[in-house]
Amino acid sequence: MATFEDVKDVIVEKLGVDADKVTPEARFVEDLGADSLETVELIMGLEDRFGITISDEDAEQIRTVQAAIDYIGSQQ
Amino acid sequence: MSVTGLRRVAVTGLGPVTPIGTGAAAFAEAQRAGRSGISTITHFDPSDVASKIAGQVDDDLSAFVDPREARKLDRYVQLALAAAELAVRDSGLTGEELRGERTGAVIGSGIGGVKTFEDQAGVLHSRGPGRISPMFIPMMIANMATGHVAMRYGATGPSSTVVTACATGTGSVGDAARYIQLGLADVMLAGGTEAAVTPIAVGGFANMKALSTRNDAPQEASRPFSASRDGFVLGEGAGVVVLEEYEKAKARGATIYAEIVGYGTSADAHHITLPAPEGRGAQVAMRMALATAGVNPEQVGYVNAHGTSTHFNDLHETQGIKHVFGAHAHELAVSSTKSMTGHLLGAAGAVEAIAVAQALHDGILPPTINLTDPDPLLDLDYIPEGAREQQVEYVLSNSFAFGGQNAALLFRRA
């Protein structure tokens, strides 16, 4: 089960943002400033960390921290 | 206007990031002291390479590059950003003065992001192409130092990247000066950068037998023009200079370290790594640099040599200097600052342009250190005794590259 803290670690590492900005509601692009390449890095980072594969179609729907947590939970 | 009908080019900002010092003052002081920046490699475990020594930059770069931003930048770009910031601060130009299409950037690299390449090649072999980082290409490609410097300062004018191996730094400064001479820009951030102290690069150069293996005496390993020289010592670092149209620089009261008056480039068209006999291609570049400025060889007081400490470079460069300068070759001072810094590849010529600007401005010629056993075939005045107080009017700076590419810049005292 992916916890908020686990996902936050990956986000902080891949996007280089302050940990306190990473809230469940935070949007990767609008709130955390991810550009298109960083978004790909983040998805690959989540795949590595949680041992899952995220299709491009699914990745496009993962726009917030909570959406990432929910998606990972559904795949594990 | 100069005698050539071209606009004049002033050097007004110096940004060295080198194994012997970061920032103009530290770099000048180290040259005067004749200090070596060579040590046993610590960037990786060098046990399995023949050459275990290099010139590394140990200064903290976080003052110039935010550590978070740094994660997405190969070291070669980080070094360039540090050098550019130092040069800009030194010039006194404001962000407002720099922004816009009258400012350009030419920041070359001999190799580009080789560490990034090496790391991602490891990912490729262990996990396949599907796991290559999306940042791999933008971190690795060799034009990114120019790109990031232009982005940082909003420099939307002339932009290019020189990749002429060990002649890169000199070619970058020369090409940038041309943009100003021709009226296409008023300010150029110009230089070179390299971060190749990595296993794949050291392994490659070492297996060419190009590198010194004087592993037990690192500080004595870079010994240009000596009888016992046994190859170059790899160095990392960056050099960026601010170039400005002369009259504008003068009008704003800038410190003008030197003027760039001539530039020549040529090809040996001979061999992938060996210089042409008698420095034939090098002679073409040196003569072109003099001719573009309308300067006679006898007016030159100092040559900052390519001086790599390899058998062939130092031999053929010396021969080439003798052909270009004739009897005056023995009146000239010639030295290799690589004796102190090691060979910074694509950054070398830019760092040496800074050394030359300081030599002209301060009236102190940098030495060739470690020249304790002169090669009997190499009989010029290489300044072996230590830094020399001497005011000269014109200085030629040479850089020669694998691939047979040559570049030479001619500087005048401001």
Side-chain angles (χ1 to χ4, degrees), chain B residues 266-348:
Chain B
S266 68
D268 283 1
H270 172 69
H271 186 268
I272 51 170
T273 56
L274 292 176
E278 306 283 321
R280 278 199 312 266
Q283 291 179 45
V284 173
M286 287 189 266
R287 288 199 178 95
M288 191 184 295
L290 293 165
T292 53
V295 168
N296 297 319
E298 291 72 25
Q299 293 174 265
V300 175
Y302 167 59
V303 175
N304 186 291
H306 189 50
T308 57
S309 187
T310 66
H311 172 75
F312 286 109
N313 176 83
D314 296 358
L315 174 64
H316 294 297
E317 182 172 18
T318 294
Q319 291 171 341
I321 289 170
K322 288 181 181 177
H323 281 289
V324 170
F325 290 95
H328 185 63
H330 292 280
E331 310 295 319
L332 281 168
V334 178
S335 74
S336 169
T337 41
K338 290 186 182 75
S339 62
M340 296 175 274
T341 61
H343 188 353
L344 274 57
L345 306 179

Side-chain angles (χ1 to χ4, degrees), chain A residues 13-14 16 18 37-38 40-41 44 47-48, chain B residues 68 71-72 127 130-135 138:
Chain A
E13 186 201 331
K14 297 299 178 187
D18 287 331
L37 294 180
E38 289 168 333
V40 178
E41 272 214 303
M44 289 175 66
E47 290 177 327
D48 286 348
Chain B
R68 285 183 206 163
R71 292 173 47 254
K72 298 181 187 304
R127 305 182 62 202
R131 305 314 294 177
I132 297 294
S133 168
M135 297 306 295

